């Protein structure tokens, strides 16, 4: 891949949109950013057609192929994300690690919260032949394919000793998530330029459907096929001790899928034909009008030097512009919103499933729960995209915030009333499903709503960098509290291994409880040791319950005193309030 040291400020695929107080509208390449009135009959016709399309809430037929392509690319991105954010933490917790140790593994997800550091590089260096976005998507996905196949051949061995290999697993998945984050930068930028302005709100819908599909395939579907109990109960006539698929086999399978899809991208153009033709019409009209104006003043000296010029800026300039964006007062306020808006439901969404697993809820039942949730996620994502169009795109986000707080409260109750004998009844199982549906519904509404808002306010001139900056801050808001939450759960848990009656009367040489030498059993390994020594692990205070209550209280206080007013103010601003001065 060849590289360029400069970044086109308005290139052929990113100049279709112009600042407007209502929507992003198409303009010609040489149109001044300050021009708000069309200067040709064609632009007037196009503007009226655009207004007509914007009022429609349906995805235009001509944009559906690119919509499906975006769904596929986001799905590929969601596969490693589902492993790193979902399945592997479950395997670690099942492998008797503590919440704090699982929290260490969450560091592997941090590239999603740091990708704005290299987003300008992705926006700046590219091959003209491949195109601005494909120049990164193709090689990154090929590298991801290699990493998935390579790691897949070794991952099962690493899982045999989690305590010794926790650091290696964290580094390996950090690399994989780093590649996914880089692909996300390019795909986010491509989403802005590969669909018509009237279909931009559906870019977030494509992201929701694709990411959720990939996530659930790597979380729900994989856990189900990896579980021996699930396979023996639903898939096999003869019980076996192993699941249908190991983690290594799953990763190698998706490594080959990555390869096939990436090869297919070589035969897909960077820009869809209908937008290329639209740009060409604008260029032709500009040429005719420019030649007419030049002829009227009798000056033809500089005609060819001005037509087709493209503004460029260095990579350093992109970083400066990114810093300038972050210095905008409205963006700074938006940063604060992102960093505090997910505290209220961190314990619920990060630890509730792990806590249910710890209490005896089986992996296969949990997989079924999330599997039932999956089709609803797709439906939620589609309609959330429609609700987030027009004025007040963040209103659904506000309602869903309270919904996620309610889901956290419901999850607290579900954990508290878990059957003491460990036998999950049909009624309890149904309650867990409804709790998951509520949380997923509200989470999807917030995700689609905030992504649609990002699309509305992002400056397409630096679309990849702007979108990535906003999405990264959103991811960071969901990542930085996670490690703190896992630490608090262990810290606030009081569980003591008490001697049973048989342990007290056993010979002193084999009895660890003689002399009241009790010890804490805050994780599954210590609990197993306690039981194997004839003791009983008595939980005096559950750190999960306390941590979840703390998160809920903080979330409600932030909502009523900070978040609600801030959101109402930010969404009332015109897109021009989010742009740098030209």
């Amino acid at each position: 891949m060849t590289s360029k040291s400069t970044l086109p400020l308005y290139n052929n695929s990113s100049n279709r949109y112009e600042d407007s107080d209502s929507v992003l509208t198409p303009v010609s390449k040489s149109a001044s950013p300050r021009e708000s009135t069309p200067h040709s009959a064609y632009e007037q016709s196009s503007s009226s057609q655009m207004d007509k399309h914007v009022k429609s809430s349906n995805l235009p037929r001509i944009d559906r192929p690119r919509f499906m392509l975006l769904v596929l690319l986001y799905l590929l991105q969601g596969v490693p994300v589902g492993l790193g954010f979902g399945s592997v933490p479950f395997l670690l917790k099942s492998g008797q690690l503590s919440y704090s140790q699982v929290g260490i593994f969450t560091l592997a997800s941090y590239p999603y919260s740091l990708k704005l550091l290299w987003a300008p590089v992705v926006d700046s260096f590219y091959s003209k032949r491949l195109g601005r976005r494909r120049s990164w998507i193709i090689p990154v996905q090929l590298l991801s394919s290699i990493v998935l196949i390579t790691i897949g051949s070794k991952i099962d061995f690493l899982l045999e000793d989690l305590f010794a290999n926790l650091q290696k697993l964290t580094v390996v998945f950090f690399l994989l998530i780093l590649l996914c984050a880089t692909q996300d930068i390019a795909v986010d930028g491509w989403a802005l330029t590969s669909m018509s302005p009237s279909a931009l709100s559906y870019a977030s819908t494509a992201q929701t459907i694709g990411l959720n599909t990939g996530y659930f395939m790597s979380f729900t579907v994989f856990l189900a096929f990896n579980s021996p109990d699930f396979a023996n109960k639903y898939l096999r006539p003869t019980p076996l001790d192993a699941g249908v698929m190991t983690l290594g086999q799953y990763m190698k399978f998706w490594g080959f899928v990555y390869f096939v899809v990436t090869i297919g991208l070589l035969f897909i153009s960077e820009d869809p034909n209908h937008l290329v033709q639209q740009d060409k019409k604008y260029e032709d009209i500009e040429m005719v009008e420019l030649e007419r104006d030049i002829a009227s003043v009798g000056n033809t000296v500089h005609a060819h030097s001005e037509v087709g010029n493209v503004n460029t800026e260095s990579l350093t300039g992109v970083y400066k512009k990114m810093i300038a964006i972050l210095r905008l007062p409205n963006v700074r306020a938006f940063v604060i919103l992102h960093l505090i808006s997910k505290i209220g439901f961190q314990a619920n969404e990060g630890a509730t499933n792990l806590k249910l697993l710890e209490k005896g809820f089986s992996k296969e039942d949990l997989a079924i729960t999330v599997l039932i949730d999956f089709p609803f996620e797709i439906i939620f994502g589609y309609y959330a995209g429609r609700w987030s169009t027009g004025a007040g795109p963040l209103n659904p986000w506000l309602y869903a915030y309270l919904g996620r707080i309610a889901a956290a409260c419901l999850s607290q109750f579900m954990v508290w009333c878990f059957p003491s004998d460990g036998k999950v009844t049909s009624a309890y199982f149904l309650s867990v499903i409804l709790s998951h549906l509520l949380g997923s519904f509200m989470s999807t509404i917030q995700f689609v709503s905030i992504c649609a808002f990002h699309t509305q306010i992002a400056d397409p001139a630096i679309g990849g960098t702007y979108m990535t900056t906003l999405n990264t801050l959103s991811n960071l808001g969901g990542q930085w509290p996670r490690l703190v939450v896992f630490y608090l759960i262990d810290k606030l848990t009081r569980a003591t291994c008490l001697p049973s009656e048989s342990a007290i009367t056993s010979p002193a040489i084999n009895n660890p409880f003689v002399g009241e030498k009790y010890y804490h059993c805050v994780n599954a390994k210590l609990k197993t040791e306690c039981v194997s020594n004839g003791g009983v692990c008595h939980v005096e205070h559950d750190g999960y319950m306390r941590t979840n209550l703390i998160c809920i209280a903080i979330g409600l206080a932030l909502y009523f005193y900070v978040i609600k007013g801030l959101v109402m103010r930010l969404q009332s601003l015109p897109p021009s309030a989010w742009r740098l001065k030209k």
Side-chain angles (χ1 to χ4, degrees), residues 360-362 365 418-419 421-430 432:
F361 202 82
S362 64
D365 286 343
F418 190 87
D421 58 1
K423 296 181 179 179
V424 177
T425 64
S426 299
Y428 186 85
F429 186 62
L430 179 61
V432 172

Short mmCIF file of all heavy atoms in Angstrom, two decimals, residues 360-362 365 418-419 421-430 432:
data_model
loop_
_atom_site.label_atom_id
_atom_site.label_comp_id
_atom_site.label_asym_id
_atom_site.label_seq_id
_atom_site.Cartn_x
_atom_site.Cartn_y
_atom_site.Cartn_z
N GLY A 360 -24.68 -20.61 40.16
CA GLY A 360 -25.12 -21.91 39.70
C GLY A 360 -25.96 -21.90 38.44
O GLY A 360 -26.41 -22.95 37.97
N PHE A 361 -26.19 -20.72 37.87
CA PHE A 361 -26.91 -20.63 36.60
C PHE A 361 -26.00 -21.18 35.51
O PHE A 361 -24.88 -20.70 35.32
CB PHE A 361 -27.26 -19.17 36.31
CG PHE A 361 -28.41 -18.99 35.36
CD1 PHE A 361 -29.71 -19.08 35.79
CD2 PHE A 361 -28.18 -18.72 34.03
CE1 PHE A 361 -30.77 -18.90 34.92
CE2 PHE A 361 -29.22 -18.54 33.14
CZ PHE A 361 -30.53 -18.63 33.59
N SER A 362 -26.45 -22.18 34.77
CA SER A 362 -25.58 -22.87 33.82
C SER A 362 -25.27 -22.01 32.60
O SER A 362 -26.06 -21.14 32.21
CB SER A 362 -26.23 -24.19 33.37
OG SER A 362 -27.41 -23.93 32.65
N ASP A 365 -27.91 -22.44 29.84
CA ASP A 365 -29.14 -21.68 30.07
C ASP A 365 -28.92 -20.20 29.80
O ASP A 365 -29.79 -19.52 29.25
CB ASP A 365 -29.62 -21.88 31.51
CG ASP A 365 -30.25 -23.24 31.73
OD1 ASP A 365 -30.59 -23.89 30.73
OD2 ASP A 365 -30.38 -23.66 32.89
N PHE A 418 -32.05 -15.62 43.80
CA PHE A 418 -31.61 -16.85 43.14
C PHE A 418 -31.89 -18.04 44.06
O PHE A 418 -31.63 -17.98 45.28
CB PHE A 418 -30.11 -16.79 42.83
CG PHE A 418 -29.63 -17.91 41.96
CD1 PHE A 418 -29.69 -17.81 40.58
CD2 PHE A 418 -29.13 -19.08 42.52
CE1 PHE A 418 -29.26 -18.84 39.77
CE2 PHE A 418 -28.70 -20.12 41.71
CZ PHE A 418 -28.76 -20.00 40.33
N PRO A 419 -32.44 -19.13 43.53
CA PRO A 419 -32.81 -20.28 44.37
C PRO A 419 -31.65 -20.77 45.22
O PRO A 419 -30.55 -21.00 44.70
CB PRO A 419 -33.25 -21.33 43.35
CG PRO A 419 -33.68 -20.56 42.15
CD PRO A 419 -32.79 -19.35 42.12
N ASP A 421 -31.22 -23.59 46.60
CA ASP A 421 -30.82 -24.97 46.29
C ASP A 421 -30.17 -25.09 44.92
O ASP A 421 -29.75 -26.18 44.51
CB ASP A 421 -32.03 -25.90 46.38
CG ASP A 421 -33.16 -25.49 45.43
OD1 ASP A 421 -32.99 -24.48 44.70
OD2 ASP A 421 -34.20 -26.17 45.43
N GLY A 422 -30.06 -23.97 44.18
CA GLY A 422 -29.42 -23.97 42.88
C GLY A 422 -30.27 -24.48 41.74
O GLY A 422 -29.82 -24.50 40.59
N LYS A 423 -31.51 -24.89 42.02
CA LYS A 423 -32.40 -25.41 40.98
C LYS A 423 -33.18 -24.26 40.36
O LYS A 423 -34.01 -23.62 41.02
CB LYS A 423 -33.34 -26.46 41.57
CG LYS A 423 -32.63 -27.70 42.09
CD LYS A 423 -33.64 -28.71 42.64
CE LYS A 423 -32.93 -29.96 43.15
NZ LYS A 423 -33.88 -30.95 43.71
N VAL A 424 -32.93 -24.00 39.09
CA VAL A 424 -33.57 -22.90 38.39
C VAL A 424 -34.94 -23.34 37.88
O VAL A 424 -35.03 -24.27 37.06
CB VAL A 424 -32.69 -22.42 37.22
CG1 VAL A 424 -33.40 -21.30 36.44
CG2 VAL A 424 -31.34 -21.93 37.73
N THR A 425 -35.98 -22.72 38.36
CA THR A 425 -37.34 -23.05 37.92
C THR A 425 -37.65 -22.35 36.60
O THR A 425 -36.94 -21.43 36.18
CB THR A 425 -38.36 -22.63 38.98
OG1 THR A 425 -38.32 -21.20 39.13
CG2 THR A 425 -38.06 -23.29 40.32
N SER A 426 -38.72 -22.77 35.97
CA SER A 426 -39.14 -22.15 34.70
C SER A 426 -39.50 -20.69 34.90
O SER A 426 -39.20 -19.84 34.06
CB SER A 426 -40.33 -22.91 34.11
OG SER A 426 -39.99 -24.25 33.83
N ALA A 427 -40.14 -20.38 36.04
CA ALA A 427 -40.52 -19.00 36.32
C ALA A 427 -39.29 -18.12 36.49
O ALA A 427 -39.24 -16.99 35.98
CB ALA A 427 -41.40 -18.95 37.57
N TYR A 428 -38.29 -18.63 37.21
CA TYR A 428 -37.08 -17.85 37.40
C TYR A 428 -36.34 -17.67 36.07
O TYR A 428 -35.83 -16.59 35.77
CB TYR A 428 -36.15 -18.53 38.41
CG TYR A 428 -34.95 -17.70 38.78
CD1 TYR A 428 -35.01 -16.74 39.78
CD2 TYR A 428 -33.75 -17.85 38.09
CE1 TYR A 428 -33.91 -15.96 40.11
CE2 TYR A 428 -32.64 -17.09 38.41
CZ TYR A 428 -32.73 -16.14 39.41
OH TYR A 428 -31.63 -15.37 39.71
N PHE A 429 -36.29 -18.74 35.28
CA PHE A 429 -35.64 -18.67 33.98
C PHE A 429 -36.30 -17.64 33.09
O PHE A 429 -35.64 -16.85 32.40
CB PHE A 429 -35.66 -20.05 33.33
CG PHE A 429 -34.89 -20.13 32.05
CD1 PHE A 429 -33.52 -19.91 32.01
CD2 PHE A 429 -35.54 -20.45 30.85
CE1 PHE A 429 -32.83 -19.99 30.82
CE2 PHE A 429 -34.84 -20.54 29.67
CZ PHE A 429 -33.48 -20.31 29.65
N LEU A 430 -37.63 -17.61 33.09
CA LEU A 430 -38.36 -16.62 32.31
C LEU A 430 -38.08 -15.21 32.80
O LEU A 430 -37.96 -14.27 32.01
CB LEU A 430 -39.86 -16.92 32.38
CG LEU A 430 -40.79 -15.95 31.63
CD1 LEU A 430 -40.47 -15.96 30.14
CD2 LEU A 430 -42.25 -16.33 31.86
N VAL A 432 -35.31 -14.15 34.17
CA VAL A 432 -33.97 -13.78 33.69
C VAL A 432 -34.03 -13.33 32.24
O VAL A 432 -33.38 -12.35 31.84
CB VAL A 432 -32.99 -14.95 33.87
CG1 VAL A 432 -31.65 -14.65 33.21
CG2 VAL A 432 -32.78 -15.26 35.35
#
